[in-house]
């Protein structure tokens, strides 16, 4: 094998969205193995997720199929008060402005599509290389980053040329890369309670679909934000899933009391009655829908102060392990997809094992400031601000065009 097509061995720790996206990018050329400490069903709740043009452009390059994931186009934003009275509405031409649309989908469907792209036969995807291998119920508990070696939960030690750490906000390996005293997840003081409601459940509960749902089905597809506007900071974010046959409802409110389960896991089972009490003065149709949802997930919103470093030796942190942020700009998963795309630098001709540490540093030189900027934008959106302000940073979020262009821009400056 010549230097031009030398294959690297890659270990990815974690099979979340960033890890699977990285597996898809790298499988074209390199040998990829993903180690996941959980079951195959890890974190596959029924809640929604939105992707904006910065991620959609990359997902299209990866072969993402929005039909398979039941994706719904997002064509703008609408802010309403808690009774459903319109305050602010804007059509947002994502495709025209940024070269790609915005889309929402069920998280489980989105992850399933990334899993397919990481593991389907190469012939099916029309690409070269071998599918990534995924090993469940055996995560990484330790790492020697300089040697490129991880220790698995079963005690086995495995080596690779590249180790990508994508094990989430409660990363076990983050301190081994960023230092034992590196920042830890920090609560924002807000809790998010998320549900997904089907059209059938809505019709059963209300006798019909609410007008705002029917408008979405008819093509007026907005991310809707219902605001309490009474100083309490309560908001409800609603958008379509599965071709609008479901709606995501994310209810965000000031945390009342800390619950151990919601701190350690973003998909802790929620207390339905607590949510109904908190939002009881919202439009009755919204409250009824919250009452019939089959799955209620509570999530204490947390983020992490920017780390001093993401890289050490042959290892790099990505996704929530590197830059966890709250969903108030809807960018957490998108930034993880951007991280994954940056591994295109490892796909360039002539890259060898000895080049890996330097290339990881180049990736960090772009990705760390980018993620920090979006974290800061997201923190500005923390609570009680108007719809106009919430979307003012859209340009900065959506105009990222990948690692190669970002490096060119660095040179220009």
């Amino acid at each position: 094998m010549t230097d031009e097509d030398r294959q690297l061995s890659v270990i990815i720790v974690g099979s979340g969205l960033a890890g699977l996206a990285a597996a898809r990018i790298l499988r074209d050329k390199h040998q990829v193995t993903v180690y996941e400490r959980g079951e195959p069903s890890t974190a596959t709740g029924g809640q929604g997720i939105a992707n904006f043009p910065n991620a959609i452009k990359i997902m299209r390059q990866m072969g993402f199929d929005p039909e398979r994931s039941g994706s719904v186009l997002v064509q703008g934003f609408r802010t309403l008060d808690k009774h459903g009275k319109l305050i602010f509405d804007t059509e947002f031409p994502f495709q025209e402005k940024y070269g790609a649309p915005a889309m929402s989908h069920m998280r489980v469907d989105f992850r399933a599509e990334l899993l397919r792209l990481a593991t389907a036969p190469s012939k099916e995807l029309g690409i070269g290389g071998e599918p990534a291998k995924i090993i469940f119920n055996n995560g990484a508990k330790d790492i020697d980053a300089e040697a490129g070696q991880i220790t698995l939960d079963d005690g086995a030690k495995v080596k690779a040329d590249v180790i990508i750490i994508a094990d989430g906000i409660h990363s076990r390996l983050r301190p081994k890369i960023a230092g034992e005293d590196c920042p830890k997840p920090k609560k924002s003081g807000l809790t998010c309670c998320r549900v997904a409601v089907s059209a059938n459940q809505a019709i059963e509960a209300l006798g019909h679909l609410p007008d705002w749902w029917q408008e979405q089905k008819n093509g007026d597809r907005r991310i809707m934000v219902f605001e309490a506007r009474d100083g309490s900071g309560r908001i409800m974010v609603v958008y379509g899933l599965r071709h609008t046959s479901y709606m995501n409802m994310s209810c965000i409110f000031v945390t009342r009391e800390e619950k151990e389960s919601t701190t350690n896991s973003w998909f802790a089972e929620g207390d339905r009655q607590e949510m109904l009490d908190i939002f009881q003065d919202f439009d009755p149709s919204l409250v009824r829908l919250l009452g019939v949802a089959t799955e209620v997930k509570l999530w204490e919103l947390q983020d992490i102060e920017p780390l001093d470093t993401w890289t050490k030796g042959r290892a790099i942190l990505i996704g929530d392990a590197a830059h966890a942020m709250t969903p108030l700009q809807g960018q957490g998963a998108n930034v993880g997809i951007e991280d994954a795309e940056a591994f295109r630098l490892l796909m360039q001709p002539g890259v060898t094992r000895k080049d890996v540490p330097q290339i990881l540093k180049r990736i960090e030189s772009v990705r760390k400031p980018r993620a920090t900027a979006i974290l800061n934008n997201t923190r500005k959106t923390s609570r009680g601000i108007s719809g106009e302000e919430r979307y003012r940073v859209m340009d900065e979020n959506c105009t990222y065009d990948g690692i190669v262009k970002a490096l060119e821009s660095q040179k220009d400056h």
Side-chain angles (χ1 to χ4, degrees):
M1 189 176 278
T2 68
D3 277 357
E4 288 299 300
D5 57 2
R6 190 176 297 276
Q7 190 180 55
L8 299 173
S9 57
V10 180
I11 285 172
I12 298 174
V13 180
S15 71
L17 306 179
L20 291 176
R24 166 61 190 92
I25 294 288
L26 289 161
R27 63 169 284 185
D28 279 14
K29 181 174 178 182
H30 301 306
Q31 183 192 351
V32 180
T33 307
V34 181
Y35 291 94
E36 168 57 58
R37 72 189 289 199
E39 304 279 344
S41 63
T42 295
T44 53
Q47 68 284 359
I49 190 168
N51 287 119
F52 290 94
N54 48 315
I56 297 287
K57 280 182 268 195
I58 295 163
M59 288 153 55
R60 282 176 163 175
Q61 293 164 13
M62 291 174 5
F64 184 85
D65 182 351
E67 281 301 308
R68 284 177 184 264
S69 53
S71 304
V72 176
L73 280 176
V74 174
Q75 294 162 323
F77 303 99
R78 181 169 294 152
T79 303
L80 309 100
D81 70 13
K82 64 185 176 183
H83 305 300
K85 183 183 169 194
L86 183 66
I87 294 162
F88 173 78
D89 180 79
T90 181
E91 193 170 335
F92 207 96
F94 287 104
Q95 179 71 50
E96 293 79 0
K97 206 166 160 56
Y98 306 120
M103 292 179 180
S104 56
H105 14 245
M106 197 85 88
R107 187 187 178 91
V108 61
D109 300 338
F110 179 49
R111 185 173 178 273
E113 176 61 358
L114 290 178
L115 184 64
R116 181 185 78 88
L117 294 170
T119 61
S122 299
K123 193 173 176 185
E124 185 185 307
L125 300 179
I127 59 174
E130 294 296 319
K133 293 191 188 87
I134 303 199
I135 295 159
F136 292 99
N137 299 307
N138 203 9
K141 62 182 180 182
D142 202 359
I143 185 170
D144 180 338
E146 301 296 342
Q149 178 174 280
I150 58 168
T151 304
L152 297 169
D153 287 332
D154 66 5
K157 293 185 190 302
V158 196
K159 286 188 116 169
D161 300 317
V162 186
I163 299 175
I164 297 167
I165 301 165
D167 58 348
I169 187 168
H170 300 293
S171 170
R172 294 191 285 178
L173 300 185
R174 184 190 298 120
K176 305 285 183 182
I177 305 302
E180 293 298 335
D181 58 350
C182 69
K184 293 181 171 55
K186 189 175 70 176
K187 290 169 197 161
S188 67
L190 296 175
T191 295
C192 178
C193 200
R194 293 183 323 276
V195 303
V197 184
S198 72
N200 289 343
Q201 287 172 320
I203 291 165
E204 203 172 307
L206 304 171
H208 58 88
L209 284 180
D211 290 344
W212 52 262
W213 194 321
Q214 198 59 56
E215 285 166 5
Q216 297 271 321
K217 287 185 87 67
N218 294 341
D220 191 9
R221 291 175 181 170
R222 304 279 200 262
I223 290 180
M224 293 173 286
V225 183
F226 294 85
E227 297 182 341
R229 300 181 80 80
D230 58 6
S232 67
R234 293 171 299 153
I235 63 171
M236 198 180 288
V237 182
V238 180
Y239 53 82
L241 311 168
R242 289 188 175 166
H243 306 300
T244 69
S245 67
Y246 277 76
M247 284 287 157
N248 173 83
M249 302 175 75
S250 295
C251 305
I252 298 171
F253 54 93
V254 175
T255 304
R256 286 182 162 187
E257 57 175 294
E258 289 176 12
K259 294 182 169 72
E260 181 67 22
S261 63
T262 57
T263 300
N264 291 330
S265 169
W266 60 256
F267 55 98
E269 283 298 339
D271 179 342
R272 183 191 308 273
Q273 195 54 51
E274 179 183 16
M275 183 175 63
L276 291 172
D277 290 347
I278 291 169
F279 288 90
Q280 49 81 26
D281 58 336
F282 272 56
D283 181 275
S285 70
L286 294 171
V287 178
R288 290 281 293 283
L289 293 181
L290 295 179
V292 298
T294 48
E295 200 173 11
V296 181
K297 300 291 189 187
L298 265 186
W299 176 23
E300 267 188 66
L301 302 186
Q302 301 176 69
D303 64 17
I304 296 180
E305 289 295 328
L307 304 176
D308 289 340
T309 183
W310 292 11
T311 61
K312 185 178 180 183
R314 301 190 165 277
I316 186 167
L317 296 159
I318 68 166
D320 282 356
H323 51 65
M325 57 188 74
T326 72
L328 294 169
Q329 277 288 327
Q331 278 292 336
N334 295 276
V335 184
I337 302 286
E338 290 181 6
D339 293 342
E341 187 273 343
F343 294 114
R344 291 192 188 286
L345 295 188
L346 290 170
M347 309 292 284
Q348 293 175 334
V351 169
T352 66
R353 175 182 158 80
K354 74 175 188 324
D355 301 320
V356 167
Q358 184 188 357
I359 289 173
L360 297 185
K361 280 288 178 200
R362 284 181 77 204
I363 290 171
E364 180 193 57
S365 77
V366 168
R367 298 301 315 141
K368 197 158 86 71
R370 164 76 177 161
T372 300
I374 294 183
L375 170 68
N376 290 334
N377 284 343
T378 301
R379 284 178 168 176
K380 287 174 197 164
T381 318
S382 61
R383 69 176 74 149
I385 67 168
S386 70
E388 297 95 318
E389 288 174 283
R390 188 172 289 117
Y391 309 118
R392 197 171 284 155
V393 291
M394 196 60 70
D395 273 3
E396 184 170 6
N397 291 350
C398 292
T399 48
Y400 184 79
D401 280 317
I403 189 74
V404 173
K405 286 201 172 158
L407 285 166
E408 286 169 4
S409 174
Q410 262 186 6
K411 273 187 209 158
D412 293 343
H413 290 96

